[in-house]
Amino acid sequence: MAPNAHDRDDRPAEEADLSARLQRLGEKLDQHRPSKASSDASAPRSGTRFAGFARGFRLSSELVAGVLVGAAIGWSLDHWLGIAPWGMIVFLLVGFVAGVVNVMRAAGVMPEQDARRRDT
Amino acid sequence: MADPIHQFEIVNLAPLVKIGATEIQLTNSAVFMMVAVGITAFLMIGATAGRQLVPGRLQSMAEVTYEFVADMIRSTAGEEGLRFFPLVFSLFTFILFANIVGIVPYTFTVTSHIVVTATLALLVFFTVIGYGLYSHGLGFFRLFVPHGIPGYILPFVVLIEIVSFLSRPISHSVRLFANMLAGHITLKVFAGFVAGLGGALGLVGWVGGVLPLAMVTALTALELLVAFLQAYVFTLLTCIYLSDALHPGH
């Protein structure tokens, strides 16, 4: 009988202790939660996680492509119109400028063609 | 040492049909294209056949792939871009599985041939032009005429914009092709070092061969990343180009 009574006295005390600990834990968790939520919001979404890598790969070929197209146009004009070397000289430069424009656009320094239109 | 270029050789496996003087053969390239399509079909049709509310492993892979592509289109081309979802999704899964299958030894990498990547890039290029002309008429050409440019340099700017537009399919296709080609050649060359060292120097060579072998292991992991990244980049640029067809001018 005596041990039982002792238990009955003890149980409320234990429960109070437990609930106090739970409350403390909840407070601690609350302190952590807002910071976790904000870091979740600032973390990139799954679709943009590889955007940095992707951009690096993209920049490398944009410039070359512009120069190549310029050279191809220049060479064709020279070939058809017989104005060598002027077509090549002019269009190689134009192609180079177009390549730089491509790179700037890919890097986000210059807005995309349609985005720029939306602003105006 | 093994020839590092040998892996890109097209092999005729079986004759299919003959049109005029051109014989159409089933090549190893065609077989691995079918493998890529087969894996996609299995993932999309087979794995989602159960239609469980709580998806299993394969079904969630299919769902994640769908969400990934749909999010990409929404963030670059807007909600209207979703009408191109079938095209973009097919491109993404085809390139992704062609790249990943290509990493497995003794397989053929379809995307390491510029014929394949250029075809895909030109498909996107002509879709942009075709849809742009269809939906906006001649207004599509306002894409080449930026606003707020003084009249005296406008012809020059339009010329640059046109060259820039024409350079798209080149950078689009060369990037994928060059990355896959270079990656696979690098792998083969380093793998060739292992056998070459062992054959030439005997025991010392086999011990030294551990270094290139470690390199091959690391490069294979890198190739797996590149395989995914290049599929992602190709698809992302497709979305950006398609968004030009959707809104060339407002």
Side-chain angles (χ1 to χ4, degrees), chain B residues 41-57:
Chain B
F42 169 73
L43 184 65
M44 288 302 140
I45 302 168
T48 56
R51 296 214 185 119
Q52 287 152 311
L53 193 59
V54 179
R57 286 198 189 96

mmCIF file of all heavy atoms in Angstrom, chain B residues 41-57:
data_model
loop_
_atom_site.group_PDB
_atom_site.id
_atom_site.type_symbol
_atom_site.label_atom_id
_atom_site.label_comp_id
_atom_site.label_asym_id
_atom_site.label_seq_id
_atom_site.Cartn_x
_atom_site.Cartn_y
_atom_site.Cartn_z
ATOM 1 N N ALA B 41 9.670 5.334 -72.298
ATOM 2 C CA ALA B 41 8.320 4.783 -72.374
ATOM 3 C C ALA B 41 8.033 3.907 -71.163
ATOM 4 O O ALA B 41 6.951 3.981 -70.570
ATOM 5 C CB ALA B 41 8.163 3.982 -73.657
ATOM 6 N N PHE B 42 9.046 3.118 -70.763
ATOM 7 C CA PHE B 42 8.856 2.273 -69.587
ATOM 8 C C PHE B 42 8.602 3.118 -68.354
ATOM 9 O O PHE B 42 7.682 2.849 -67.570
ATOM 10 C CB PHE B 42 10.093 1.394 -69.376
ATOM 11 C CG PHE B 42 10.089 0.685 -68.055
ATOM 12 C CD1 PHE B 42 9.233 -0.384 -67.832
ATOM 13 C CD2 PHE B 42 10.914 1.109 -67.029
ATOM 14 C CE1 PHE B 42 9.206 -1.025 -66.608
ATOM 15 C CE2 PHE B 42 10.900 0.478 -65.805
ATOM 16 C CZ PHE B 42 10.045 -0.599 -65.591
ATOM 17 N N LEU B 43 9.420 4.173 -68.192
ATOM 18 C CA LEU B 43 9.291 5.021 -67.001
ATOM 19 C C LEU B 43 7.946 5.730 -66.980
ATOM 20 O O LEU B 43 7.297 5.842 -65.938
ATOM 21 C CB LEU B 43 10.428 6.046 -66.988
ATOM 22 C CG LEU B 43 10.505 6.954 -65.774
ATOM 23 C CD1 LEU B 43 10.805 6.138 -64.542
ATOM 24 C CD2 LEU B 43 11.561 8.014 -65.960
ATOM 25 N N MET B 44 7.503 6.190 -68.159
ATOM 26 C CA MET B 44 6.299 7.020 -68.186
ATOM 27 C C MET B 44 5.022 6.177 -68.245
ATOM 28 O O MET B 44 4.046 6.490 -67.588
ATOM 29 C CB MET B 44 6.350 7.955 -69.400
ATOM 30 C CG MET B 44 7.359 9.036 -69.243
ATOM 31 S SD MET B 44 6.995 10.000 -67.772
ATOM 32 C CE MET B 44 8.628 10.251 -67.155
ATOM 33 N N ILE B 45 5.030 5.127 -69.065
ATOM 34 C CA ILE B 45 3.802 4.348 -69.221
ATOM 35 C C ILE B 45 3.753 3.225 -68.198
ATOM 36 O O ILE B 45 2.789 3.069 -67.458
ATOM 37 C CB ILE B 45 3.703 3.781 -70.655
ATOM 38 C CG1 ILE B 45 3.731 4.940 -71.662
ATOM 39 C CG2 ILE B 45 2.422 2.972 -70.815
ATOM 40 C CD1 ILE B 45 3.923 4.498 -73.079
ATOM 41 N N GLY B 46 4.863 2.456 -68.133
ATOM 42 C CA GLY B 46 4.876 1.302 -67.245
ATOM 43 C C GLY B 46 4.759 1.682 -65.783
ATOM 44 O O GLY B 46 3.967 1.105 -65.034
ATOM 45 N N ALA B 47 5.543 2.707 -65.380
ATOM 46 C CA ALA B 47 5.617 3.013 -63.950
ATOM 47 C C ALA B 47 4.369 3.709 -63.438
ATOM 48 O O ALA B 47 4.066 3.656 -62.255
ATOM 49 C CB ALA B 47 6.847 3.889 -63.676
ATOM 50 N N THR B 48 3.631 4.378 -64.341
ATOM 51 C CA THR B 48 2.453 5.095 -63.871
ATOM 52 C C THR B 48 1.181 4.319 -64.159
ATOM 53 O O THR B 48 0.086 4.824 -63.939
ATOM 54 C CB THR B 48 2.352 6.481 -64.541
ATOM 55 O OG1 THR B 48 2.349 6.285 -65.950
ATOM 56 C CG2 THR B 48 3.522 7.355 -64.162
ATOM 57 N N ALA B 49 1.320 3.082 -64.620
ATOM 58 C CA ALA B 49 0.131 2.292 -64.957
ATOM 59 C C ALA B 49 -0.711 2.020 -63.711
ATOM 60 O O ALA B 49 -1.937 1.954 -63.784
ATOM 61 C CB ALA B 49 0.542 0.988 -65.622
ATOM 62 N N GLY B 50 -0.041 1.862 -62.539
ATOM 63 C CA GLY B 50 -0.770 1.571 -61.318
ATOM 64 C C GLY B 50 -1.644 2.712 -60.851
ATOM 65 O O GLY B 50 -2.675 2.523 -60.231
ATOM 66 N N ARG B 51 -1.236 3.935 -61.170
ATOM 67 C CA ARG B 51 -1.949 5.155 -60.770
ATOM 68 C C ARG B 51 -2.290 5.154 -59.295
ATOM 69 O O ARG B 51 -3.438 5.325 -58.897
ATOM 70 C CB ARG B 51 -3.234 5.323 -61.574
ATOM 71 C CG ARG B 51 -2.966 5.507 -63.039
ATOM 72 C CD ARG B 51 -3.978 6.441 -63.672
ATOM 73 N NE ARG B 51 -3.748 6.481 -65.098
ATOM 74 C CZ ARG B 51 -4.623 6.114 -66.003
ATOM 75 N NH1 ARG B 51 -5.797 5.682 -65.632
ATOM 76 N NH2 ARG B 51 -4.350 6.179 -67.273
ATOM 77 N N GLN B 52 -1.240 4.942 -58.471
ATOM 78 C CA GLN B 52 -1.501 4.950 -57.037
ATOM 79 C C GLN B 52 -1.551 6.390 -56.551
ATOM 80 O O GLN B 52 -0.843 7.262 -57.058
ATOM 81 C CB GLN B 52 -0.388 4.200 -56.309
ATOM 82 C CG GLN B 52 -0.488 2.707 -56.512
ATOM 83 C CD GLN B 52 0.844 2.044 -56.421
ATOM 84 O OE1 GLN B 52 1.805 2.471 -57.041
ATOM 85 N NE2 GLN B 52 0.912 0.998 -55.636
ATOM 86 N N LEU B 53 -2.375 6.606 -55.534
ATOM 87 C CA LEU B 53 -2.455 7.953 -54.960
ATOM 88 C C LEU B 53 -1.148 8.272 -54.240
ATOM 89 O O LEU B 53 -0.606 9.362 -54.355
ATOM 90 C CB LEU B 53 -3.631 8.034 -53.989
ATOM 91 C CG LEU B 53 -4.015 9.443 -53.550
ATOM 92 C CD1 LEU B 53 -4.374 10.270 -54.779
ATOM 93 C CD2 LEU B 53 -5.166 9.395 -52.582
ATOM 94 N N VAL B 54 -0.650 7.289 -53.503
ATOM 95 C CA VAL B 54 0.672 7.415 -52.900
ATOM 96 C C VAL B 54 1.635 6.681 -53.819
ATOM 97 O O VAL B 54 1.606 5.471 -53.911
ATOM 98 C CB VAL B 54 0.703 6.782 -51.494
ATOM 99 C CG1 VAL B 54 2.101 6.906 -50.910
ATOM 100 C CG2 VAL B 54 -0.312 7.447 -50.613
ATOM 101 N N PRO B 55 2.475 7.454 -54.557
ATOM 102 C CA PRO B 55 3.270 6.820 -55.601
ATOM 103 C C PRO B 55 4.362 5.913 -55.049
ATOM 104 O O PRO B 55 4.920 6.161 -53.981
ATOM 105 C CB PRO B 55 3.873 8.014 -56.341
ATOM 106 C CG PRO B 55 3.845 9.122 -55.372
ATOM 107 C CD PRO B 55 2.677 8.891 -54.480
ATOM 108 N N GLY B 56 4.641 4.845 -55.785
ATOM 109 C CA GLY B 56 5.784 3.999 -55.474
ATOM 110 C C GLY B 56 7.045 4.649 -55.991
ATOM 111 O O GLY B 56 7.023 5.796 -56.440
ATOM 112 N N ARG B 57 8.157 3.899 -55.946
ATOM 113 C CA ARG B 57 9.447 4.497 -56.336
ATOM 114 C C ARG B 57 9.450 4.944 -57.785
ATOM 115 O O ARG B 57 9.760 6.086 -58.106
ATOM 116 C CB ARG B 57 10.564 3.480 -56.138
ATOM 117 C CG ARG B 57 10.903 3.267 -54.707
ATOM 118 C CD ARG B 57 12.246 2.615 -54.563
ATOM 119 N NE ARG B 57 12.452 2.221 -53.184
ATOM 120 C CZ ARG B 57 12.213 1.013 -52.721
ATOM 121 N NH1 ARG B 57 11.772 0.087 -53.533
ATOM 122 N NH2 ARG B 57 12.420 0.730 -51.455
#
